[in-house]
């Protein structure tokens, strides 16, 4: 199986050393909606086994090339390769809102040489509304939270109105004709759309894509009227050029790049006012010390690497960081919230 991107070669290929640690199972288990991680994050300063890493790491990015998520994964891979002393190879495996790539990770050897970069929605939303090729509760070890990404609702050249209220009014006037694209079924963008449909009672057609890059290309061509996408510099430039129209943001508050654009909560859609959390995952049996070492390096890079922090800032993403346990707790909380939403309004996710 060939990798689709070349390695980020470190300046010096030093090996990871330290005393041998016994292998401990890192398990992600969910009981009554609470996700727990056994061993992950409990040895945050412990050295990894001396025989790790033995070869380059494979970073499965569950999105296609060209989108903001792919760009940030690559921005992280380069300094991480220097920190670990081996190349980090980016392998794009897009499809089904991220579940294709995570399915590949679930089948990968749990030896610390395969990771995935993904939003948490393939674990916290997709399994609640459809089938996924993995056990979302027990297949993975959460390794590190990387970034929070606001969601941007945009009008395309096919939408002639102005503002979010006009979008809803058009959908209400002609049910089943307004098309709203997302990067896939059961993604955060789909959740935003589902909650808007449920709260407004309007019939909006969902147009699912297989990632943000292809979605944006068709948006510029007016293949649909609206889309929900991650905020990124490219999207903001198209808005500044007048090629796209910013209608709303999903974020705790208005973003600095678009201070005049209201949040979905301000517009009366508090349940739709969501952002995306992205992070690194490993197969569940990955040694706890390896998980802890990767977590430690990622957390350090998010706090100290000026280039990575600048890339996050330019893409209007907020660094996450923290321990693997912190990341697991956020995943658990998101799944509980999504489960309540789906149970209350299942038809919204059809």
């Amino acid at each position: 199986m060939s990798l689709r991107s070349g390695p980020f070669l470190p300046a010096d290929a030093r090996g990871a050393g330290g005393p041998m640690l016994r292998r401990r199972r890192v398990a992600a288990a969910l009981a009554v909606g609470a996700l727990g991680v056994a061993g992950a994050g409990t040895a945050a300063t412990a050295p990894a086994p001396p025989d790790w890493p033995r070869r380059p790491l494979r970073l499965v990015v569950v999105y296609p090339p060209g989108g903001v998520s792919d760009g940030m994964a690559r921005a992280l891979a380069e300094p991480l390769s220097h920190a670990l002393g081996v190349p980090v190879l980016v392998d794009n495996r897009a499809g089904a809102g991220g579940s294709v790539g995570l399915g590949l990770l679930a089948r990968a050897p749990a030896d610390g040489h395969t990771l995935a970069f993904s939003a948490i929605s393939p674990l916290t939303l997709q399994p609640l509304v459809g089938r996924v090729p993995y056990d979302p509760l027990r297949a993975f070890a959460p390794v590190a939270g990387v970034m929070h990404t606001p969601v941007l609702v945009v009008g395309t050249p096919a939408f002639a109105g102005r503002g979010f209220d006009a979008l809803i009014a058009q959908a209400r006037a002609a049910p089943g004709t307004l098309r709203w694209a997302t990067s896939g079924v059961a993604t955060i963008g789909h959740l935003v759309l589902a909650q808007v449909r449920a709260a407004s009672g309007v019939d909006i057609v969902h147009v699912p894509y297989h990632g943000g890059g292809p979605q944006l290309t068709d948006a510029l061509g007016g293949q649909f009227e609206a889309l929900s996408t991650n905020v990124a510099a490219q999207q903001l430039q198209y808005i500044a050029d007048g090629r796209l129209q910013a209608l709303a943001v999903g974020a705790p508050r208005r973003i600095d790049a678009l201070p005049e654009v209201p949040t979905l909560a301000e517009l009366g859609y508090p349940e739709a006012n969501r952002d995306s959390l992205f992070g690194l995952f490993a197969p569940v049996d990955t040694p706890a010390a390896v998980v802890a070492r990767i977590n430690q390096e990622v957390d350090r890079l998010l706090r100290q690497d000026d280039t990575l922090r600048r890339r996050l800032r330019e893409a209007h993403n907020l660094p996450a960081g923290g321990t693997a346990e912190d990341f697991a707790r956020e995943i658990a909380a998101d799944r509980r919230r999504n489960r309540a939403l789906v149970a209350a309004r299942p038809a919204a996710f059809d």
Side-chain angles (χ1 to χ4, degrees), residues 145-149 277 299 301-303 308-309 312-313 316-322:
V146 175
M147 66 185 189
H148 291 273
T149 303
L277 173 59
D299 185 64
L301 290 169
L302 290 170
R303 289 183 286 105
L308 179 61
R309 291 178 62 83
L312 284 164
R313 187 170 58 250
H316 301 277
N317 294 318
L318 300 174

Side-chain angles (χ1 to χ4, degrees), residues 207-303:
V207 183
Y209 276 72
H210 295 295
Q215 175 197 47
L216 187 59
T217 299
D218 284 357
L220 295 172
Q223 299 300 309
F224 41 79
E225 285 74 25
L227 74 154
S228 40
T229 180
N230 293 325
V231 172
Q234 187 175 37
Q235 284 87 326
L236 294 173
Q237 186 59 55
Y238 291 141
I239 291 168
D241 293 343
R243 300 179 67 183
L244 298 174
Q245 178 191 166
L247 303 176
V249 295
R253 59 184 180 277
R254 297 189 184 196
I255 63 174
D256 292 342
L258 299 169
E260 74 288 354
V261 178
T263 67
L264 285 158
E266 290 179 272
L267 290 166
Y269 302 91
E271 290 183 337
N273 194 50
R274 305 288 288 272
D275 59 19
S276 296
L277 173 59
F278 292 81
L280 295 181
F281 297 87
V284 71
D285 287 323
T286 301
V290 171
V291 170
R293 170 72 190 284
I294 298 171
N295 173 275
Q296 182 181 24
E297 295 296 351
V298 171
D299 185 64
R300 180 185 62 81
L301 290 169
L302 290 170
R303 289 183 286 105

